[in-house]
Amino acid sequence: DCGADFSVFPASLSDKRSLPPSKSLVAANGSVIRTWGKRNIPLLLGNGCSFTQEFYIAEVTEPILGADFFIDNDLAIDMARRRLINMADLATIPSKIACQTPSVSGIHAPAANDFDRIIDDFPELLIPRFKPTDTNKHGVEH
């Protein structure tokens, strides 16, 4: 999910009963997602690449790798070629679509300050431009 800020993992019935509730998250549709702390979970991706990611244990139905995973591991998503790119050495990690049902989702924390609210209103400011032919909507060149 490219719209999720945080990685989340479905809470089990045992998690909900034994762990204290923690910080709530907000879905793209504005609904509140309850959480029960965080847990480090090992991941094995294509080509045998292994990672450990901290997930919020949350009231979701499917695990979601959020932007935190890609940032922490210096990975870029190449959707056209269905792969991840390790930005440190440009090695690629093949991936496949887990489900064929299209969906729109996103998970984030509520905006805490003016900067967060601006980014929520103008998310395109965070889209990286890798080619000189890529144009931006704001017209400012760096």
Side-chain angles (χ1 to χ4, degrees):
D1 183 315
C2 295
D5 292 345
F6 304 107
S7 298
V8 295
F9 197 85
S12 68
L13 199 52
S14 173
D15 291 330
K16 293 176 184 181
R17 288 182 179 160
S18 63
L19 299 173
S22 59
K23 169 184 173 179
S24 293
L25 301 174
V26 179
N29 66 4
S31 64
V32 173
I33 299 171
R34 296 186 318 170
T35 68
W36 291 268
K38 296 179 181 180
R39 182 177 298 143
N40 287 321
I41 298 176
L43 304 170
L44 184 61
L45 302 181
N47 289 348
C49 295
S50 62
F51 301 91
T52 299
Q53 179 60 29
E54 185 176 64
F55 286 81
Y56 278 96
I57 304 305
E59 195 164 43
V60 295
T61 58
E62 297 287 330
I64 297 173
L65 284 176
D68 57 343
F69 170 77
F70 301 101
I71 293 166
D72 292 348
N73 294 290
D74 202 16
L75 297 173
I77 302 168
D78 181 354
M79 289 188 181
R81 293 172 190 83
R82 295 183 179 175
R83 63 184 182 171
L84 300 175
I85 302 170
N86 181 325
M87 299 307 289
D89 62 8
L90 300 180
T92 60
I93 303 168
S95 64
K96 57 185 169 185
I97 297 175
C99 67
Q100 299 301 320
T101 306
S103 65
V104 176
S105 62
I107 298 172
H108 61 91
N113 55 47
D114 289 340
F115 177 76
D116 289 343
R117 283 186 278 284
I118 290 169
I119 295 301
D120 283 347
D121 291 342
F122 302 98
E124 68 274 6
L125 294 173
L126 299 178
I127 298 172
R129 309 281 183 216
F130 295 111
K131 297 182 279 185
T133 56
D134 288 344
T135 58
N136 60 54
K137 293 181 181 179
H138 52 74
V140 175
E141 297 294 326
H142 301 278

